Amino acid sequence: LVGSAPAACLYFAGYEASRDYLRGRSELRGTPFVADFSAGFVAEAISCVMWVPIDVTKQRLQVQSTLEGAVKYRGSLDALRTIAKQEGLAGLYKGYWATLCAFGPFSATYFFTYEQLK
């Protein structure tokens, strides 16, 4: 809940802001479906700023007992601190591009479809 609620807020706020911005662009006037599709992708890119570190932390905690020589984390906050300290910010964002490639098209299609059917 601590990470999910802010990430969901970023997701929907990012969509609304980017949709409004893109729909206002002169080159996209008359093609709201392009703006909606693009805004859905942008929303995913923005929300992944929160989701990916949460997922990295969760995954490390899940596999730590099965890996020989793996760092033993005492909990989520300890895992976040340890990863950031040992690997830097890049360690928390491993998989950002893969996540965006996997979920970006879904979010784009989702919001495009939502806007067309509402």
Side-chain angles (χ1 to χ4, degrees):
L1 183 61
V2 173
S4 297
C9 288
L10 278 176
Y11 183 66
F12 290 109
Y15 171 71
E16 292 285 329
S18 58
R19 182 199 62 194
D20 293 347
Y21 172 78
L22 291 168
R23 282 186 175 182
R25 303 284 303 172
S26 61
E27 56 271 8
L28 293 178
R29 283 201 186 103
T31 57
F33 54 89
V34 173
D36 299 340
F37 187 85
S38 300
F41 197 89
V42 170
E44 189 65 41
I46 292 170
S47 68
C48 278
V49 170
M50 289 286 296
W51 285 122
V52 170
I54 293 167
D55 282 345
V56 167
T57 302
K58 176 191 66 150
Q59 291 162 1
R60 299 277 183 99
L61 286 166
Q62 288 173 333
V63 301
Q64 72 178 351
S65 64
T66 63
L67 299 175
E68 208 173 300
V71 175
K72 300 293 183 190
Y73 306 110
R74 294 184 305 270
S76 297
L77 290 177
D78 182 52
L80 276 169
R81 279 193 297 266
T82 304
I83 295 166
K85 185 177 180 181
Q86 292 179 353
E87 301 175 43
L89 231 62
L92 292 172
Y93 286 96
K94 283 185 178 175
Y96 176 86
W97 296 110
T99 302
L100 189 57
C101 287
F103 292 104
F106 167 79
S107 291
T109 304
Y110 171 83
F111 281 113
F112 162 75
T113 304
Y114 170 78
E115 293 291 348
Q116 297 302 308
L117 295 178
K118 76 175 188 179

